Coordinates of all heavy atoms in Angstrom, one line a residue:
T161 N -45.5 51.5 -32.1 CA -44.3 50.8 -32.6 C -44.3 49.4 -32.0 O -44.9 49.1 -30.9 CB -43.0 51.5 -32.1 OG1 -43.0 51.7 -30.7 CG2 -42.8 52.8 -32.8
F162 N -43.6 48.5 -32.6 CA -43.6 47.1 -32.1 C -42.7 47.0 -30.9 O -41.6 47.6 -30.8 CB -43.0 46.2 -33.2 CG -43.0 44.7 -32.9 CD1 -44.1 43.9 -33.1 CD2 -41.8 44.1 -32.4 CE1 -44.1 42.6 -32.8 CE2 -41.8 42.8 -32.0 CZ -42.9 42.0 -32.2
P163 N -43.1 46.3 -29.8 CA -44.2 45.4 -29.7 C -45.4 46.1 -29.0 O -46.5 45.5 -28.9 CB -43.7 44.3 -28.7 CG -42.8 45.0 -27.8 CD -42.1 46.1 -28.7
G164 N -45.3 47.4 -28.6 CA -46.4 48.1 -28.0 C -47.7 48.1 -28.8 O -48.8 48.2 -28.2
V165 N -47.5 48.1 -30.1 CA -48.7 48.2 -31.0 C -49.6 47.0 -30.9 O -50.8 47.1 -31.2 CB -48.2 48.4 -32.4 CG1 -47.6 47.1 -33.0 CG2 -49.3 48.9 -33.4
L166 N -49.1 45.9 -30.4 CA -49.9 44.7 -30.2 C -51.0 44.9 -29.1 O -52.0 44.2 -29.2 CB -49.0 43.5 -29.8 CG -48.0 43.1 -30.9 CD1 -47.1 42.0 -30.4 CD2 -48.7 42.6 -32.2
I167 N -50.8 45.8 -28.2 CA -51.7 46.1 -27.1 C -53.1 46.6 -27.7 O -54.1 46.0 -27.4 CB -51.2 47.0 -26.0 CG1 -49.9 46.3 -25.4 CG2 -52.2 47.3 -25.0 CD1 -49.2 47.3 -24.4
P168 N -53.1 47.7 -28.4 CA -54.4 48.2 -28.9 C -55.0 47.2 -30.0 O -56.2 47.1 -30.1 CB -54.1 49.5 -29.6 CG -52.6 49.5 -29.7 CD -52.0 48.7 -28.6
F169 N -54.1 46.5 -30.7 CA -54.5 45.6 -31.7 C -55.3 44.4 -31.0 O -56.5 44.1 -31.5 CB -53.3 45.0 -32.4 CG -53.6 43.9 -33.4 CD1 -54.1 44.1 -34.7 CD2 -53.5 42.5 -33.0 CE1 -54.4 43.1 -35.6 CE2 -53.8 41.5 -33.9 CZ -54.3 41.8 -35.2
L170 N -54.8 43.8 -30.0 CA -55.4 42.7 -29.3 C -56.7 43.1 -28.6 O -57.7 42.4 -28.6 CB -54.5 42.0 -28.4 CG -53.3 41.3 -29.0 CD1 -52.3 40.8 -28.0 CD2 -53.8 40.1 -29.9
I171 N -56.6 44.3 -28.0 CA -57.8 44.8 -27.2 C -59.0 45.0 -28.2 O -60.1 44.6 -27.9 CB -57.5 46.1 -26.5 CG1 -56.5 45.9 -25.4 CG2 -58.7 46.8 -26.0 CD1 -56.0 47.2 -24.7
A172 N -58.7 45.6 -29.4 CA -59.8 45.9 -30.3 C -60.4 44.6 -30.8 O -61.6 44.4 -30.9 CB -59.2 46.7 -31.5
V173 N -59.6 43.6 -31.1 CA -60.1 42.3 -31.6 C -60.9 41.6 -30.5 O -62.0 41.1 -30.8 CB -58.9 41.4 -32.1 CG1 -59.5 40.0 -32.4 CG2 -58.2 42.0 -33.3
L174 N -60.4 41.6 -29.3 CA -61.1 40.9 -28.2 C -62.4 41.6 -27.9 O -63.4 41.0 -27.6 CB -60.2 40.9 -27.0 CG -59.0 40.0 -27.0 CD1 -58.1 40.2 -25.8 CD2 -59.4 38.5 -27.2
V175 N -62.4 43.0 -27.9 CA -63.7 43.7 -27.7 C -64.7 43.4 -28.8 O -65.9 43.2 -28.4 CB -63.4 45.2 -27.7 CG1 -64.7 46.0 -27.7 CG2 -62.6 45.6 -26.4
Y176 N -64.3 43.3 -30.0 CA -65.2 43.0 -31.1 C -65.8 41.5 -30.9 O -67.0 41.3 -31.1 CB -64.5 43.1 -32.4 CG -65.4 42.9 -33.6 CD1 -66.0 44.0 -34.2 CD2 -65.7 41.7 -34.2 CE1 -66.9 43.9 -35.3 CE2 -66.5 41.5 -35.3 CZ -67.1 42.7 -35.8 OH -67.9 42.5 -36.9
V177 N -64.9 40.6 -30.6 CA -65.3 39.2 -30.4 C -66.3 39.1 -29.3 O -67.3 38.4 -29.3 CB -64.1 38.3 -30.2 CG1 -64.6 36.9 -29.8 CG2 -63.3 38.2 -31.5
F178 N -66.0 39.8 -28.2 CA -66.8 39.8 -27.0 C -68.2 40.3 -27.3 O -69.2 39.7 -26.9 CB -66.2 40.6 -25.9 CG -67.0 40.6 -24.6 CD1 -67.0 39.6 -23.7 CD2 -67.8 41.7 -24.3 CE1 -67.8 39.6 -22.5 CE2 -68.6 41.8 -23.2 CZ -68.5 40.7 -22.3
Y179 N -68.2 41.4 -28.0 CA -69.5 42.0 -28.4 C -70.4 41.1 -29.2 O -71.6 40.9 -29.0 CB -69.3 43.3 -29.1 CG -70.5 43.9 -29.8 CD1 -71.5 44.6 -29.0 CD2 -70.8 43.7 -31.1 CE1 -72.6 45.1 -29.6 CE2 -72.0 44.2 -31.7 CZ -72.9 44.9 -30.9 OH -74.0 45.4 -31.5
K180 N -69.8 40.5 -30.2 CA -70.5 39.7 -31.2 C -71.0 38.3 -30.6 O -72.0 37.8 -30.9 CB -69.7 39.4 -32.4 CG -69.4 40.6 -33.2 CD -70.6 41.3 -33.9 CE -71.1 40.5 -35.0 NZ -72.3 41.1 -35.7
R181 N -70.1 37.8 -29.7 CA -70.4 36.4 -29.2 C -71.0 36.3 -27.8 O -71.8 35.4 -27.5 CB -69.1 35.6 -29.3 CG -68.6 35.3 -30.6 CD -67.5 34.2 -30.6 NE -67.0 33.9 -31.9 CZ -66.0 33.0 -32.2 NH1 -65.5 32.4 -31.1 NH2 -65.6 32.8 -33.4
Y182 N -70.7 37.3 -27.0 CA -71.0 37.1 -25.6 C -71.9 38.2 -25.0 O -72.2 38.3 -23.8 CB -69.7 37.1 -24.7 CG -68.8 35.9 -25.1 CD1 -67.7 36.2 -25.8 CD2 -69.1 34.6 -24.8 CE1 -66.8 35.1 -26.2 CE2 -68.3 33.6 -25.2 CZ -67.2 33.8 -25.9 OH -66.3 32.8 -26.3
T183 N -72.5 39.1 -25.9 CA -73.4 40.1 -25.4 C -74.7 39.9 -26.1 O -74.8 39.5 -27.3 CB -72.9 41.5 -25.7 OG1 -72.9 41.8 -27.1 CG2 -71.5 41.7 -25.1
L184 N -75.8 40.1 -25.3 CA -77.1 39.9 -25.9 C -77.4 41.0 -27.0 O -78.0 40.7 -28.0 CB -78.2 40.1 -24.8 CG -79.7 40.0 -25.2 CD1 -79.9 38.6 -25.8 CD2 -80.6 40.3 -24.1
T185 N -76.8 42.1 -26.8 CA -76.9 43.2 -27.8 C -76.3 42.8 -29.2 O -76.8 43.0 -30.2 CB -76.2 44.5 -27.3 OG1 -76.8 44.9 -26.1 CG2 -76.4 45.6 -28.3
G186 N -75.1 42.1 -29.1 CA -74.4 41.7 -30.3 C -75.2 40.6 -31.0 O -75.3 40.6 -32.3

Side-chain angles (χ1 to χ4, degrees):
T161 54
F162 185 84
V165 71
L166 295 175
I167 297 174
F169 174 81
L170 292 174
I171 291 174
V173 173
L174 291 174
V175 167
Y176 188 91
V177 171
F178 179 80
Y179 169 78
K180 296 293 287 188
R181 293 190 179 183
Y182 302 106
T183 67
L184 181 61
T185 305

